[in-house]
């Protein structure tokens, strides 16, 4: 079992940047496909980005591609989401998730993930 704690959320103006972190404990994230999801009020939770165990395979939602970057530092047991050119529609609660020995091709599906953090709020003002 792995525990996940997100940080780095906050308020930012449109066009600004934030860097989210997800620190894992209890297990090494090298055993997990890691993903970021978000949920806005009144909306379903949606996929944002995912990264394979090695970091070689990466997926992004079309809505964030070119603006967001997911990365992992297995030595620090942490993954990151660098968010640039933020838009008001990026406002949401952002969750980190872990899929033990996950299959990268299923990384967009929230149902594949075994563990979730509590999330961190990102608010983008216009």
């Amino acid at each position: 079992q792995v525990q996940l704690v997100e940080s780095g959320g906050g308020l930012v103006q449109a066009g600004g940047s934030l860097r989210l972190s997800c620190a894992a404990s209890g297990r090494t994230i090298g055993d997990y496909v890691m993903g970021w999801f978000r949920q806005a009020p009144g909306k379903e939770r949606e996929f944002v980005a995912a990264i394979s165990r090695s970091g070689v395979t990466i997926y992004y939602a079309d809505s964030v591609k070119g603006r967001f970057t997911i990365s992992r530092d297995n030595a620090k047991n942490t993954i990151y989401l660098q968010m640039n050119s933020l838009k008001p529609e990026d406002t949401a609660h952002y969750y980190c998730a872990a899929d033990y020995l996950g299959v990268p091709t299923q990384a967009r599906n929230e149902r594949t993930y075994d563990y979730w953090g509590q999330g961190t709020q990102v608010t983008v003002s216009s």
Side-chain angles (χ1 to χ4, degrees):
Q1 187 171 354
V2 63
Q3 294 78 46
L4 306 172
V5 179
E6 301 93 336
S7 62
L11 284 77
V12 65
Q13 292 185 349
S17 298
L18 285 173
R19 188 195 192 203
L20 305 184
S21 298
C22 174
S25 61
R27 297 288 187 275
T28 173
I29 64 168
D31 292 334
Y32 299 83
V33 169
M34 303 294 294
W36 287 99
F37 291 78
R38 67 187 183 186
Q39 187 168 25
K43 297 279 192 176
E44 295 289 315
R45 186 159 57 190
E46 66 173 340
F47 169 78
V48 176
I51 187 166
S52 65
R53 294 170 62 191
S54 67
V56 171
T57 303
I58 292 175
Y59 298 105
Y60 295 103
D62 289 343
S63 59
V64 307
K65 193 170 183 64
R67 300 187 298 120
F68 291 10
T69 303
I70 188 172
S71 62
R72 67 190 300 153
D73 187 338
N74 287 356
K76 294 183 177 180
N77 228 30
T78 301
I79 67 164
Y80 305 93
L81 185 69
Q82 179 66 46
M83 305 185 295
N84 298 326
S85 301
L86 283 162
K87 305 174 181 179
E89 50 262 46
D90 295 318
T91 295
H93 205 72
Y94 283 70
Y95 297 90
C96 174
D99 181 10
Y100 182 64
L101 302 181
V103 179
T105 54
Q106 298 297 312
R108 296 176 184 268
N109 182 3
E110 68 178 78
R111 296 179 182 271
T112 196
Y113 291 89
D114 304 299
Y115 306 102
W116 295 81
Q118 293 298 306
T120 185
Q121 180 67 33
V122 172
T123 303
V124 184
S125 62
S126 59

